[in-house]
């Protein structure tokens, strides 16, 4: 039972009594079977994008650096395909070119030359993901976690080319390339 007295600004007093269950109910949200919103295979062929990098060091204790690698379109206020990757290189070098290589999805424990599969932690994207961007904002209705396959980061002249041969968590292929003409390294920013 809950009993309360309320005094309003005009000095009126109201008496309220509730009798019934005092058990609190919680809204339960079931995780969907898959997080991808893709309805078919997706092929990317982006040219002239922007590569953003951040090196977090050996956060997994495997003797190799963990890099955040993201690719954005040429006009960040517009519409483009966006990829964010969480890769573990094969050594402790910190130069930008140390991210060059082929990465397979980390199965079980994190290891060298792997990328972390995409997942949701509450509402936060973690690991490696594809999303669309509309008007400079992430389109959460157009997304796919990268959960298997390979990602290759290579250099073609001064451009960095990221090649995808992946799948999402619902069996759709995510393939193609993202060529980046400009680079920003956020590793040394505090």
């Amino acid at each position: 039972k809950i009993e309360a007295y309320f005094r309003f600004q005009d000095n009126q007093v109201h008496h309220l009594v509730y009798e019934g269950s005092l058990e609190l109910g919680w809204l339960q949200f079931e995780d969907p079977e898959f997080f991808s919103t893709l309805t078919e295979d997706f092929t990317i062929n982006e040219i002239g994008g922007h590569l953003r990098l951040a090196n977090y060091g050996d956060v997994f204790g495997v003797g190799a650096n963990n890099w955040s690698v993201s690719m954005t379109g040429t006009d960040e206020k517009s519409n483009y395909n966006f990829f964010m990757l969480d890769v573990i290189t094969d050594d402790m070098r910190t130069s930008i070119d140390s991210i060059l290589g082929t990465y397979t999805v980390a199965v079980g424990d994190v290891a060298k030359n792997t990328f972390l599969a995409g997942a949701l932690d509450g509402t936060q994207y973690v690991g490696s993901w594809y999303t669309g961007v509309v008007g400079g904002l992430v389109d959460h209705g157009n997304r796919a976690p990268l959960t298997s396959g390979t990602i290759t980061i290579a250099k073609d002249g001064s451009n960095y080319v990221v090649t995808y041969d992946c799948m999402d968590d619902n069996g759709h292929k995510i393939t193609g390339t993202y060529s980046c003409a400009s680079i920003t390294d956020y590793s040394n920013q505090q």
Side-chain angles (χ1 to χ4, degrees), residues 1-7 13-18:
K1 165 177 161 171
I2 298 174
E3 189 170 358
Y5 291 90
F6 296 96
R7 181 180 305 271
V13 175
H14 293 267
H15 179 218
L16 176 70
V17 177
Y18 166 79

Side-chain angles (χ1 to χ4, degrees), residues 110-122:
V110 173
K112 294 179 179 181
N113 294 315
T114 61
F115 69 91
L116 301 181
L120 278 177
D121 182 8

Side-chain angles (χ1 to χ4, degrees), residues 97-117:
D97 284 351
S98 69
I99 66 164
L100 302 178
T102 298
Y103 302 92
T104 58
V105 70
V107 178
D109 292 333
V110 173
K112 294 179 179 181
N113 294 315
T114 61
F115 69 91
L116 301 181

Side-chain angles (χ1 to χ4, degrees), residues 69-82:
V69 181
S70 64
M71 286 128 279
T72 63
T74 55
D75 179 2
E76 295 182 23
K77 300 286 184 215
S78 188
N79 305 323
Y80 54 86
N81 296 303
F82 174 76

Side-chain angles (χ1 to χ4, degrees), residues 87-134:
V87 301
I88 293 83
T89 59
D90 64 351
D91 60 31
M92 294 297 296
R93 291 180 299 139
T94 58
S95 68
I96 292 173
D97 284 351
S98 69
I99 66 164
L100 302 178
T102 298
Y103 302 92
T104 58
V105 70
V107 178
D109 292 333
V110 173
K112 294 179 179 181
N113 294 315
T114 61
F115 69 91
L116 301 181
L120 278 177
D121 182 8
T123 59
Q124 297 292 316
Y125 295 109
V126 294
S128 302
W129 282 82
Y130 156 76
T131 66
V133 171
V134 177

